[in-house]
Amino acid sequence: MPMLKIDVHPNVYAELEDSRSWYEERARNLGKEFLGEVDNAVDSVQRAPMMWPWYDEQQGVRRFLVHRFPYAIIYKPTSSLIQIIAVMHLRRHPDYWKSRTTYWPSI
């Protein structure tokens, strides 16, 4: 089975940059390590999108925990792509991403 295409919500890039910057201020290269772990997480999701647990089953949203950092990839697999909805800090405003699910037309 071919891997599904990844489509990232535009707000995710600002989230990633804010988090990278925060970590980089604390320790040299920590921001770079954070981005590397997020990339690894997205790769894992792309290889096996249905393997990770439901986060909001009603909306078809799943969650993958990022290694070493208190973040999760919030995503929705469809028949044609994987929608990356958020890179969410696990201890802050857990529902902020819900309005983003309407970014994509229904598939």
Side-chain angles (χ1 to χ4, degrees), residues 18-19 22 27 36 40 67 84 94 101:
D18 288 347
S19 299
W22 189 89
N40 290 341
H67 181 65
I84 304 292
T101 59

Side-chain angles (χ1 to χ4, degrees), residues 16 19-20 23 30-38 69 71:
L16 286 172
S19 299
R20 183 210 61 79
Y23 281 116
L30 191 58
K32 184 177 178 182
E33 291 174 27
F34 167 73
L35 292 179
E37 292 295 346
V38 169
F69 295 91
Y71 284 81

